[in-house]
């Protein structure tokens, strides 16, 4: 998530902090970054916290700790740290973006849009912020706005796999299946292990009545992730549409085995 880990000499704005403390704070910060990269989150939190103890105005340390809390699912703590980073540096685009991610995860869509928009205002080439805002718009059913943001993210980064996938979903919701298939195919071209892109393209093929192609893509998604419940269910529906009832029953049953409370799978099997 963090594309802004490289700390410049003046980034922590420690004009009143003695030089030894300044250098020690940066050392703890850098070690915290390394710990976060390798997934040692508790150690990262300790190091970022030590950096903050040495320098209470170290915006990047609050931001880094916020990233770790976000990865751990500690949303409230993440919001507090991102907010503190923003308080210390009102032009810290990545901190707005990070807080936007947490708000999105919490379902606070309007707050997420505000933060992503602020990040974009501060950095008009921030592809991930456009992508993040696109996700919120998609979640709200505002597919036109979502497509615009995904398209901008792609314009800024032509290899942004998730942006192609996101735009493909929005096109699919609008009934623009050919456009959706193109985007899902591009995502697969960029990452041929992208389970969700195969599944998304399968849905687009299914909706346009191309059941064979849909089954192939659902099968590929299952090959990549044998516990991907929606792919079993959707392949079952495609088999049912083709009159292949035994195959359909097998897939609905597998979906039920993986999730015993999957109502639609019971309904599919019972038809």
């Amino acid at each position: 998530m963090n594309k802004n880990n490289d700390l410049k000499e003046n980034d922590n704005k420690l004009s009143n902090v003695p030089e030894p403390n300044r250098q020690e704070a940066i050392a703890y910060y850098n070690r915290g970054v390394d710990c976060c990269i390798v997934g040692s989150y508790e150690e990262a939190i300790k190091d970022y916290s030590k950096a903050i103890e040495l320098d209470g105005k170290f915006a990047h340390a609050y931001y880094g700790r916020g990233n770790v809390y976000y990865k751990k699912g500690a949303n409230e703590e993440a919001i507090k740290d991102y907010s503190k980073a923003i308080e210390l540096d009102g032009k810290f685009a990545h901190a707005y973006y990070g807080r936007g991610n947490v708000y999105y995860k919490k379902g606070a869509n309007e707050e997420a849009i505000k933060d992503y928009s602020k990040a974009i205002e501060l950095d008009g080439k921030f592809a991930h912020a456009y992508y993040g805002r696109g996700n919120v718009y998609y979640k709200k059913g505002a597919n036109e706005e979502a497509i615009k943001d995904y398209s901008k993210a792609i314009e800024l980064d032509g290899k942004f796999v998730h942006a192609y996938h996101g735009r493909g979903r929005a096109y699919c919701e609008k009934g623009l299946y050919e456009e959706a298939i193109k985007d899902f195919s591009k995502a697969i071209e960029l990452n041929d292990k992208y389970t969700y892109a195969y599944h998304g393209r399968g849905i687009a093929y299914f909706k346009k009545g191309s059941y064979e192609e849909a089954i192939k893509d659902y099968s590929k998604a299952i090959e990549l992730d044998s516990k991907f419940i929606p792919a079993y269910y959707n392949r079952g529906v495609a088999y049912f549409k083709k009159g292949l009832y035994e195959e359909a029953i097998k897939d609905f049953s597998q979906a039920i085995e993986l999730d015993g409370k999957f109502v639609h799978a019971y309904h599919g099997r019972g038809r």
Side-chain angles (χ1 to χ4, degrees):
M1 185 171 77
N2 179 11
K3 285 193 169 184
N4 202 29
N5 274 333
D6 294 332
L7 184 64
K8 301 180 182 65
E9 177 64 17
N10 64 345
D11 275 344
N12 55 339
K13 300 180 174 65
L14 299 182
S15 58
N16 297 320
V17 175
E19 184 63 20
N21 284 19
R22 178 189 181 94
Q23 294 306 319
E24 190 177 2
I26 291 173
Y28 276 108
Y29 166 83
N30 287 332
R31 194 171 70 177
V33 171
D34 291 338
C35 287
C36 185
I37 289 170
V38 299
S40 299
Y41 297 142
E42 293 306 322
E43 294 305 313
I45 287 170
K46 288 178 184 177
D47 281 338
Y48 287 132
S49 297
K50 184 63 178 178
I52 290 165
E53 179 187 325
L54 289 163
D55 167 17
K57 295 183 179 180
F58 198 162
H60 275 70
Y62 283 103
Y63 167 71
R65 193 172 66 178
N67 286 341
V68 182
Y69 282 134
Y70 174 75
K71 289 175 183 290
K72 285 171 54 68
N75 295 326
E76 294 307 319
E77 289 86 346
I79 287 171
K80 287 178 184 176
D81 273 348
Y82 289 134
S83 297
K84 184 63 177 179
I86 290 164
E87 177 189 324
L88 292 167
D89 182 357
K91 295 183 179 180
F92 198 164
H94 280 74
Y96 284 103
Y97 167 74
R99 193 172 66 179
N101 285 338
V102 186
Y103 282 136
Y104 172 70
K105 188 176 179 182
K106 284 169 56 71
N109 294 331
E110 296 308 318
E111 289 85 346
I113 288 172
K114 286 178 185 176
D115 273 347
Y116 289 134
S117 297
K118 184 64 177 179
I120 290 164
E121 176 190 324
L122 292 166
D123 181 358
K125 295 183 179 181
F126 198 165
H128 279 73
Y130 284 103
Y131 169 72
R133 192 172 67 179
N135 285 340
V136 186
Y137 282 135
Y138 175 79
K139 187 176 180 182
K140 284 167 56 72
N143 291 309
E144 281 297 328
E145 290 83 351
I147 288 167
K148 287 178 185 175
D149 274 347
Y150 291 136
S151 297
K152 184 64 177 179
I154 290 164
E155 177 190 324
L156 291 166
D157 180 358
K159 295 183 178 180
F160 197 162
V161 178
H162 295 290
Y164 284 105
H165 174 257
R167 191 171 67 177
R169 290 191 306 166
Y171 278 139
C172 205
E173 286 294 319
K174 285 176 61 66
L176 300 171
Y177 303 128
E178 291 302 328
E179 289 85 343
I181 288 167
K182 286 178 185 176
D183 273 349
F184 290 131
S185 296
K186 182 64 177 179
I188 290 165
E189 176 190 324
L190 291 167
N191 179 5
D192 63 2
K193 306 277 192 217
Y194 193 1
T195 306
Y196 291 101
Y198 287 103
H199 183 250
R201 191 171 68 178
I203 291 170
Y205 277 132
F206 178 85
K207 288 190 174 182
K208 69 191 292 280
S210 301
Y211 301 134
E212 276 300 325
E213 288 84 350
I215 288 168
K216 287 177 185 176
D217 275 343
Y218 293 142
S219 297
K220 183 63 177 180
I222 290 165
E223 177 189 323
L224 291 167
D225 181 356
S226 62
K227 294 184 179 181
F228 193 6
I229 298 167
Y232 285 107
Y233 172 74
N234 285 325
R235 190 174 68 176
V237 174
Y239 279 137
F240 182 84
K241 285 285 188 181
K242 285 176 60 66
L244 300 170
Y245 302 124
E246 289 302 319
E247 288 85 345
I249 288 169
K250 287 179 184 176
D251 274 348
F252 292 136
S253 297
Q254 183 62 35
I256 290 165
E257 182 179 324
L258 291 166
D259 180 1
K261 295 181 180 180
F262 194 174
V263 175
H264 295 294
Y266 283 106
H267 177 261
R269 191 171 67 177
R271 284 192 287 182

